[in-house]
Amino acid sequence: MSSHAASGHIDHHHDHTTSTGIPNKKLFMWAFLASDCMFFGTLISTHLIYRLHPPPGSPDPKSIFSIELTSFSTFILLMSSLLMALAVNACQKGRVESTRKNLLGTIFFGLIFLACQVYEFSHFVHEKGLTLSNSTFGSTFYTLTGTHGCHVAIGVLWLILMYIRSFKPADADEGRPWIGKAVVHLLVFLVTIVASMSAMMSYTHIAAEHGWGAVGTFLSHHPISTAVTLAGVIALWALGRDKSTAEFGEANAIDVESMGLYWHFVDIVWIVIFTAVYLLEYV
Amino acid sequence: MDAAAQSQSLGHHAPVADRRPWYFTRPTAKTGLVSWLTTVDHKRIGLLYGISALIFFLIGGLEALLIRIQLAVPNNTFISHQFYNELFTMHATTMIFLAVMPLSAAFFNYIMPLQIGARDVAFPRLNGFAFWVFLSGAIILNVGWFVKSGAPDIGWFGYAPLTSLQYSTQFKGDASTDLWIMGLQVLGVSSVVGSLNFIVTIINMRAPGMTMMRLPVFTWMTLVTAFLIILSFPAITIALVELMMDRTFGTGFFEVSKGGLPILWQHLFWIFGHPEVYILILPAMGVISEVIPTFSRKPLFGYPIIVFSGATIGLLGFGVWSHHMFTTGMGTMATAAFALATMAIAVPTGVKMFNWIGTMWGGHIMTRTPMMFALGFLWMFMMGGFSGIMHSAAPADAQQQDSYFVVAHFHYVLIGGAVFALLAGIHYWFPLMFGRKVSEFWGKLSFWVIFVGFNVTFFPMHFLGLNGMPRRTAVYDGNMGWNSANLVATIGAFILAVGIGIYFVVILYTYFKGQKSGRDPWDGRTLEWAIAHPPAEHNFDTIPVVRARDPFFHEKHLAKDKPPAPPAEPHGIHMPSQSWFPIITALGLLVAALFYSYHHFTGAIAGGVLLFLGVYGWSHEGPGGYHIHLDEHSGDDSSHKAH
Ligand code: HEM
Ligand SMILES: [Cu+2]
């Protein structure tokens, strides 16, 4: 994961080197993540303390959780980490197009994760009767997973900003409407997301009824969202094939890399939460 | 990064016309209001911190005087119980978060980059942001004085269930507790952001040759403090989030009726709160470790031991929080373990005392004003340490807890320790910051009046505490045997106030009319003394090359050969550009937090949008920068804007 060669020269204005050779932004991110560890550590311990001292009448988590959905979204988040790593790698090699595609993929998976969480929350509230305030379990569960969700959402926002920036043309005189293009791109992206998200949710519904293999039932029930999703993906692929030189390049690898550190961290934290909050209930 | 900055950092030097839209044009004013609002210069930010901290120090002092007047005589009716509660809450909150911490931050900002030979901190705009966020938090905390709800009245520790909706609205029915929550939350953002910046700066921006074991001790303590902040603040952040959820969304984290555990608040609070007391004292220890060698004309005795004991204090600080909870019934094992760990912390602290004394041993001690304050520190911090060890014995603490004995303890460490050291630091670095020197007579006078006033105020409190007088009570009966000691303490408080008054007048006078100090008036040892007084915007004309632990002293008096040539800066000195976005972003946070305190969610969202716009603009504006070219013959600065 060494990127010193690629990124040393863009750090802190003119300093071609730092005392340690580690870029400032990377060090900053590491220190921030150390702080964030304590942040999640406190939240997770709060949750565990209340699980060890459940007040009378506390709900049984096993009767609330749908472990299949959560496992699915965990898998999705892990895959997003893979794409993030590929994006960093591509950027370090100066392959802007590939960086963009992988960034988009990361955003996409991040959004699916968020959608699963929204679905999960509303499902728990409306069908399982678990609210923020009717038990300490609900309080700690929603606060902990919600805070993690906020981290993912911030990550997605950051990815999107980075993605837009990657279209900024290198030549300031060219004056192409790069922001306009980026916005069109994002709009297509948004439509695709919404379509695929609704498809995804319907699929989990159908899966709940007919089992996870019922793809045929699904396709026949939701042709529009499926078609829009497909068309969107193709359009995105076409738009991303921007051959003109962008300002974005190897020099930005450190930006992408520190964003990646954040993203991987949020992923790792989710694994811990998944284990401590969900899986532990089943042992 | 914008195109210009990039081409430049890649080594091409094509002049690029600035064709960015108006809202991305960088402010360039060097004087006047705008220059201060948009500054990214660590020295100016340090001054902003220092001035605000001193103002809040006076406000906190005023609150203390009102408390002492109320307690001067038994059965006093000078102020209401409600107002008394607000006063002691705000006094402690103000002194800790708005006076001592930002005063330390002032020195971190101003002095630390100079000590390591850097041109600025690693992220200059973020540094400005941290200051404006600090000011926002301070405003939110103090809003209560001006609105019907009154100020927060829950103690600086905010114990559950005082903060529950039920109790906190019983008397006032309003937002004072929410203001406290949001105020602390915002201050936490400022501290963490600032500390991350200092950590990167110290680790990455040292001058060539400045190894970690050559770092000045003040810089070392800055580093340890910054780590303490980033690792302990998350605990209180989460505690405050949970409390906020309890109050806004009806959760039951600390609500017994809902199955919540009020004791959990105490754990989370003190996991933050105990490291916090070291956040307050370590910078002070850093200042003392600079002052004593300079005025003993000897290198610091046992430098590595001072550094390691500082780091050890930081580490151990995380394992002793429950000594604030000995009387909550944690159980014998837990109590014993925390008592032992607490006693252990006295070891590295004591080691430091011996190092300072060892430094003075056989030195040519010059009793200048900063040194007087440092000597006062040694004496009183030792007393505070002794009473600390007395608390760490759980059975003894069972008697002392929540009595005035504890009040005496923490004032000896906080005023006698932290504040004395910071007052020493102001005197010590005043010539550097303003090129003027405080008169020895008036400086020493202020020291003696403060010293006497302080001891007259707080020494009797040991006896009050041992005689059973509880803290946080607005009135006491005349038959308890507490009358004379209380009266003495109040008289002492006024002497102390006079001393602080003299101190401030002297400092102000010196700033405007004081005698010019000339360069390096104390024959300093560390790099900050090597530059102009007051420093130029770019700090160092050439980045120094470090060859010894006391680099400046070494080159002045000890080096036999010529110092090596400093590294070349072919394009001139590159300085970061000013920016509007830090203050805009902080303003967004202020608006959001303030509206949230009043549960006014539309306003909060509006603040959030402003915050987002600030961040967006910030990231698209790029770091920018311009060059300063030094004219080799005249030494004059001629700067031109690069982009
Ligand atoms: C030798 C080192 C120290 C030891 C062994 C020590 C020990 C203790 C103990 C056991 C308590 C709890 C007393 C009680 O509430 O019954 C306490 C309270 C306190 N200490 Fe220390 N202490 C030390 C140094 C410091 C320092 C350096 C500071 C601050 C700069 C400090 C600030 C405080 C404060 C503010 C409280 C009261 C907190 C509250 O209840 O509001 N102490 N100390
Ligand atoms: Cu403590």
Side-chain angles (χ1 to χ4, degrees):
Chain A
M1 276 253 287
S2 160
S3 65
H4 301 170
S7 51
H9 57 284
I10 58 146
D11 230 65
H12 187 68
H13 351 297
H14 236 119
D15 295 349
H16 288 224
T17 52
T18 60
S19 310
T20 54
I22 305 167
N24 285 346
K25 284 179 181 166
K26 196 173 186 176
L27 200 57
F28 184 91
M29 195 36 82
W30 276 111
F32 170 76
L33 295 181
S35 180
D36 227 21
C37 273
M38 299 299 285
F39 195 80
F40 278 107
T42 312
L43 275 167
I44 293 172
S45 24
T46 303
H47 178 81
L48 292 180
I49 284 166
Y50 281 116
R51 282 300 291 143
L52 290 174
H53 303 275
S58 288
D60 172 26
K62 264 192 287 193
S63 70
I64 294 172
F65 290 158
S66 48
I67 196 72
E68 293 86 357
L69 178 67
T70 316
S71 310
F72 169 72
S73 63
T74 305
F75 174 72
I76 287 290
L77 205 56
L78 279 178
M79 288 304 104
S80 78
S81 249
L82 174 66
L83 292 183
M84 186 73 241
L86 292 178
V88 173
N89 192 275
C91 197
Q92 281 166 350
K93 295 193 176 125
R95 302 204 321 252
V96 179
E97 241 186 276
S98 160
T99 311
R100 281 190 198 133
K101 280 185 191 133
N102 284 308
L103 284 182
L104 262 190
T106 316
I107 299 172
F108 182 59
F109 280 180
L111 285 171
I112 294 183
F113 177 85
L114 283 176
C116 287
Q117 194 167 42
V118 170
Y119 174 79
E120 183 188 45
F121 279 16
S122 70
H123 183 70
F124 287 2
V125 170
H126 297 299
E127 265 141 65
K128 303 292 170 83
L130 180 77
T131 69
L132 245 186
S133 52
N134 67 4
S135 68
T136 54
F137 177 73
S139 305
T140 58
F141 173 80
Y142 287 121
T143 310
L144 169 56
T145 52
T147 307
H148 179 267
C150 282
H151 272 71
V152 176
I154 290 171
V156 168
L157 211 68
W158 189 0
L159 284 159
I160 292 178
L161 286 179
M162 188 71 74
Y163 181 71
I164 294 183
R165 219 174 79 180
S166 77
F167 283 93
K168 195 173 171 187
D171 189 353
D173 290 328
E174 208 176 302
R176 276 181 301 133
W178 66 276
I179 290 250
K181 182 169 179 190
V183 168
V184 171
H185 203 127
L186 272 175
L187 281 181
V188 177
F189 185 61
L190 217 68
V191 172
T192 319
I193 295 296
V194 172
S196 62
M197 217 80 90
S198 89
M200 203 69 71
M201 286 205 188
S202 343
Y203 183 55
T204 47
H205 271 298
I206 289 173
E209 276 173 45
H210 306 280
W212 289 93
V215 182
T217 327
F218 168 73
L219 286 180
S220 61
H221 276 64
H222 301 280
I224 299 184
S225 56
T226 314
V228 173
T229 308
L230 277 178
V233 170
I234 293 171
L236 280 176
W237 173 75
L239 275 171
R241 285 161 48 86
D242 183 0
K243 285 273 180 276
S244 57
T245 46
E247 184 205 86
F248 206 76
E250 269 171 75
N252 299 86
I254 180 61
D255 296 346
V256 181
E257 194 182 342
S258 37
M259 184 169 74
L261 282 178
Y262 174 84
W263 191 262
H264 296 316
F265 173 80
V266 170
D267 242 26
I268 294 169
V269 168
W270 178 255
I271 302 296
V272 177
I273 294 177
F274 184 55
T275 312
V277 175
Y278 294 85
L279 293 183
L280 272 187
E281 302 291 348
Y282 295 86
V283 291
Chain B
M1 185 182 285
D2 55 280
Q6 186 180 345
S7 69
Q8 193 239 348
S9 68
L10 293 175
H12 322 301
H13 212 58
V16 177
D18 196 345
R19 52 178 77 245
R20 274 165 301 175
W22 59 270
Y23 43 84
F24 282 148
T25 42
R26 310 291 290 249
T28 50
K30 289 288 167 226
T31 52
L33 185 65
V34 170
S35 73
W36 284 92
L37 296 181
T38 61
T39 186
V40 294
D41 178 354
H42 71 97
K43 298 180 291 300
R44 285 191 157 202
I45 293 170
L47 290 179
L48 287 173
Y49 265 112
I51 292 164
S52 347
L54 289 176
I55 291 172
F56 283 115
F57 182 62
L58 291 183
I59 295 176
L62 206 66
E63 287 157 359
L65 280 185
L66 291 176
I67 293 175
R68 268 333 303 174
I69 294 175
Q70 168 66 16
L71 293 178
V73 291
N75 300 314
N76 201 354
T77 53
F78 173 62
I79 52 179
S80 69
H81 291 209
Q82 172 59 35
F83 189 48
Y84 187 88
N85 293 349
E86 293 175 18
L87 279 178
F88 80 68
T89 302
M90 285 307 290
H91 163 69
T93 312
T94 302
M95 283 304 195
I96 291 172
F97 296 105
L98 311 184
V100 175
M101 272 180 84
L103 203 51
S104 304
F107 290 124
F108 296 167
N109 266 298
Y110 201 111
I111 303 298
M112 179 272 287
L114 299 179
Q115 285 197 327
I116 62 173
R119 295 233 185 266
D120 206 320
V121 294
F123 301 96
R125 285 181 298 169
L126 208 58
N127 203 20
F129 175 70
F131 170 74
W132 297 112
V133 171
F134 155 72
L135 202 62
S136 304
I139 291 172
I140 296 172
L141 272 177
N142 279 286
V143 161
W145 293 123
F146 305 102
V147 293
K148 204 176 101 272
S149 68
D153 61 344
I154 49 178
W156 83 281
F157 35 78
Y159 284 159
L162 289 176
T163 49
S164 71
L165 223 39
Q166 188 191 351
Y167 291 107
S168 72
T169 53
Q170 192 167 359
F171 301 108
K172 314 206 291 172
D174 62 297
S176 75
T177 302
D178 297 281
L179 286 170
W180 181 80
I181 295 173
M182 292 319 282
L184 284 197
Q185 207 68 292
V186 169
L187 288 172
V189 172
S190 162
S191 305
V192 171
V193 164
S195 302
L196 293 172
N197 208 345
F198 295 143
I199 289 175
V200 178
T201 305
I202 296 173
I203 295 184
N204 256 1
M205 315 245 324
R206 286 164 285 138
M210 175 71 82
T211 60
M212 288 308 269
M213 286 319 271
R214 282 181 189 162
L215 277 190
V217 176
F218 178 72
T219 298
W220 251 114
M221 293 306 117
T222 307
L223 185 64
V224 177
T225 307
F227 269 108
L228 280 175
I229 288 177
I230 66 162
L231 297 179
S232 73
F233 266 73
I236 185 110
T237 304
I238 291 302
L240 289 169
V241 165
E242 293 175 349
L243 181 58
M244 192 193 83
M245 304 272 292
D246 277 5
R247 295 175 58 85
T248 320
F249 303 112
T251 56
F253 284 103
F254 310 119
E255 204 65 69
V256 183
S257 62
K258 293 186 172 145
L261 306 168
I263 207 75
L264 179 66
W265 170 269
Q266 290 203 25
H267 280 291
L268 296 186
F269 180 83
W270 287 114
I271 285 174
F272 146 78
H274 187 78
E276 170 69 19
V277 308
Y278 293 103
I279 292 169
L280 300 170
I281 202 68
L282 285 173
M285 293 176 161
V287 174
I288 294 303
S289 307
E290 300 293 324
V291 170
I292 288 187
T294 301
F295 294 98
S296 305
R297 314 207 47 73
K298 268 180 68 191
L300 188 65
F301 175 72
Y303 169 95
I305 300 176
I306 283 255
V307 168
F308 283 120
S309 62
T312 311
I313 289 176
L315 269 180
L316 281 177
F318 277 99
V320 301
W321 76 90
S322 279
H323 66 214
H324 296 270
M325 302 165 65
F326 282 151
T327 55
T328 56
M330 291 180 296
T332 325
M333 275 315 287
T335 304
F338 280 107
L340 273 177
T342 304
M343 291 173 195
I345 247 185
V347 175
T349 314
V351 164
K352 275 185 152 31
M353 293 299 291
F354 284 112
N355 278 305
W356 291 319
I357 295 169
T359 306
M360 293 190 296
W361 194 286
H364 304 273
I365 297 177
M366 318 190 316
T367 50
R368 298 291 145 72
T369 312
M371 185 65 170
M372 296 303 285
F373 277 98
L375 294 175
F377 167 95
L378 288 190
W379 174 244
M380 285 178 298
F381 184 67
M382 187 172 66
M383 297 204 27
F386 283 154
S387 53
I389 298 173
M390 290 162 80
H391 296 310
S392 62
D397 188 61
Q399 300 301 313
Q400 293 152 8
Q401 172 104 62
D402 286 343
S403 77
Y404 262 82
F405 196 83
V406 175
V407 179
H409 159 68
F410 63 70
H411 281 93
Y412 266 88
V413 281
L414 282 175
I415 300 182
V419 172
F420 264 68
L422 293 171
L423 295 183
I426 293 178
H427 270 281
Y428 178 56
W429 280 305
F430 204 84
L432 170 66
M433 296 192 275
F434 305 109
R436 291 176 195 268
K437 210 164 129 179
V438 179
S439 128
E440 280 300 322
F441 172 78
W442 290 101
K444 282 193 185 127
L445 180 74
S446 71
F447 164 76
W448 281 112
V449 180
I450 292 174
F451 183 80
V452 169
F454 170 78
N455 281 292
V456 173
T457 311
F458 292 100
F459 197 72
M461 289 189 192
H462 290 110
F463 300 112
L464 278 175
L466 294 177
N467 287 333
M469 178 162 166
R471 352 168 13 189
R472 311 167 193 137
T473 18
V475 287
Y476 54 92
D477 191 83
N479 297 322
M480 307 295 290
W482 302 333
N483 302 1
S484 45
N486 267 309
L487 189 61
V488 170
T490 301
I491 293 170
F494 277 91
I495 302 177
L496 181 57
V498 171
I500 297 285
I502 299 175
Y503 188 96
F504 272 81
V505 172
V506 171
I507 289 287
L508 275 179
Y509 175 85
T510 312
Y511 175 75
F512 290 109
K513 294 233 171 70
Q515 161 204 357
K516 292 263 193 298
S517 66
R519 254 197 201 198
D520 188 23
W522 314 123
D523 194 7
R525 314 182 71 86
T526 34
L527 283 181
E528 75 266 29
W529 298 106
I531 59 177
H533 303 0
E537 189 193 0
H538 56 275
N539 297 348
F540 298 89
D541 288 349
T542 49
I543 293 293
V545 176
V546 177
R547 298 195 288 176
R549 194 168 274 158
D550 286 326
F552 186 44
F553 197 84
H554 178 85
E555 301 302 346
K556 268 190 303 191
H557 301 305
L558 306 174
K560 301 221 165 54
D561 51 345
K562 286 205 121 196
E569 290 169 284
H571 306 303
I573 299 169
H574 188 255
M575 300 297 294
S577 302
Q578 286 155 239
S579 168
W580 279 107
F581 287 104
I583 191 170
I584 292 176
T585 312
L587 190 68
L589 194 61
L590 170 65
V591 172
L594 205 52
F595 276 111
Y596 188 91
S597 312
Y598 283 92
H599 295 208
H600 190 300
F601 296 111
T602 338
I605 290 174
V609 170
L610 186 59
L611 178 81
F612 179 78
L613 289 179
V615 173
Y616 185 82
W618 187 326
S619 67
H620 277 69
E621 147 188 271
Y626 61 95
H627 289 117
I628 294 177
H629 294 281
L630 297 183
D631 185 340
E632 276 167 33
H633 303 290
S634 65
D636 277 339
D637 294 4
S638 64
S639 52
H640 83 260
K641 199 173 169 301
H643 42 266

